[in-house]
């Protein structure tokens, strides 16, 4: 007989969390082993309970679901994280994927879709809702400039930050997208300005776009 899946549900809205727990508890092969209402609690609960799957909201009252995912996956690489959220913007999707989430569904997903996704991430499969899948495929199918040789004086991370600056993104969005703290983003930006000998953000954007970044 197959082992039952141990699932931790993380969401700061009690009613929605209760609904997800009830849905999964009715599955014959699933045990809901715990709940959490914040990112910090999710990290400690995952460490204590050792779930196979964490169903994670993105927007939590302390740290983001992406940041909590990064901590959980770093400590327990075998855990599958399924983001279940209202956030459908590209920055949120790719932030979650970079943090180590294996799946991304919106909260209006059908109950059977959520159940299938939980089993899929437990099998180490990547799974996305239809709208999210279209966006992800479109991103990877879009022709991207080769930035490996652009601004060789910059580190890979600094080029990522510069590309996002050139794309018109704020420091807050850059921090969320790359799973970095705002202070770390500011430090990277300062290094970029220094290495490129530019005076401000506007000049950095011009240099970056001339080189094909941020388009």
């Amino acid at each position: 007989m197959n082992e039952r899946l141990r699932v931790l549900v993380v969401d700061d809205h009690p009613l929605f969390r209760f609904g997800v727990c009830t849905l999964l508890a009715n599955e014959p092969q699933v045990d809901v082993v715990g709940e959490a209402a914040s990112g910090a609690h999710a990290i400690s609960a995952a460490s204590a309970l050792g779930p196979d799957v964490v169903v994670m909201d993105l927007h939590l009252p302390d740290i983001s679901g992406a940041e909590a995912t990064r901590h959980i996956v770093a400590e327990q690489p075998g855990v599958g994280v399924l983001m279940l959220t209202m956030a459908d913007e590209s920055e949120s999707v790719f932030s979650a994927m970079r943090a180590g989430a294996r799946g991304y569904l919106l909260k209006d997903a059908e109950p059977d879709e959520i159940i299938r996704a939980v089993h899929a991430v437990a099998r180490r499969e990547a799974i996305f809702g239809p709208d999210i899948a279209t966006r992800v495929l479109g991103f990877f199918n879009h022709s991207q400039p080769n930035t490996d040789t652009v601004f060789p004086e910059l580190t890979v991370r600094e080029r990522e930050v510069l590309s996002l600056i050139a794309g018109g993104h704020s420091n807050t969005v850059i921090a969320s997208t790359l799973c970095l703290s705002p202070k770390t983003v500011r430090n990277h930006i300062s290094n970029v300005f220094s290495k490129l000998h530019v005076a401000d953000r506007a000049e950095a954007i011009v240099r970056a776009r001339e080189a094909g970044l941020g388009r």
Side-chain angles (χ1 to χ4, degrees), residues 56-74:
M56 178 84 73
D57 191 12
L58 186 64
H59 297 305
L60 297 169
D62 48 1
I63 62 176
S64 71
E67 181 69 10
T69 296
R70 187 177 66 80
H71 282 280
I72 291 170
V73 172

Side-chain angles (χ1 to χ4, degrees), residues 151-166:
F151 303 124
E153 64 268 49
L154 302 181
T155 66
V156 172
R157 179 63 87 191
E158 288 166 353
R159 280 198 296 273
E160 289 176 339
V161 170
L162 178 59
S163 182
L164 289 168
I165 290 174

Side-chain angles (χ1 to χ4, degrees), residues 36-113:
S38 70
H41 188 195
I43 293 169
S44 61
S47 179
L49 299 171
D52 302 302
V53 175
V54 178
V55 178
M56 178 84 73
D57 191 12
L58 186 64
H59 297 305
L60 297 169
D62 48 1
I63 62 176
S64 71
E67 181 69 10
T69 296
R70 187 177 66 80
H71 282 280
I72 291 170
V73 172
E75 183 177 315
Q76 302 177 73
V79 175
V81 177
L82 170 66
M83 306 304 296
L84 185 59
T85 178
M86 292 297 294
D88 63 351
E89 64 273 10
S90 297
E91 289 85 358
S92 296
V93 176
F94 293 114
S95 173
M97 294 302 103
R98 288 188 180 96
R102 293 183 198 157
Y104 200 106
L105 293 183
L106 299 182
K107 285 186 174 180
D108 61 1
E110 294 294 329
D112 60 344
E113 188 178 1

Side-chain angles (χ1 to χ4, degrees), residues 91-173:
E91 289 85 358
S92 296
V93 176
F94 293 114
S95 173
M97 294 302 103
R98 288 188 180 96
R102 293 183 198 157
Y104 200 106
L105 293 183
L106 299 182
K107 285 186 174 180
D108 61 1
E110 294 294 329
D112 60 344
E113 188 178 1
I114 295 173
I115 293 169
R116 285 197 303 270
V118 166
H119 286 283
V121 298
R123 296 192 299 268
R124 297 180 175 270
E125 297 175 8
I127 188 163
F128 306 93
D131 292 342
I132 302 300
T134 298
R135 186 170 304 176
V136 171
L137 290 173
F139 175 83
F140 287 108
N141 288 335
H142 181 70
S143 177
Q144 300 290 322
N146 181 3
T147 61
D148 291 344
T149 59
V150 173
F151 303 124
E153 64 268 49
L154 302 181
T155 66
V156 172
R157 179 63 87 191
E158 288 166 353
R159 280 198 296 273
E160 289 176 339
V161 170
L162 178 59
S163 182
L164 289 168
I165 290 174
H169 298 294
S170 67
N171 285 14
T172 300
V173 171

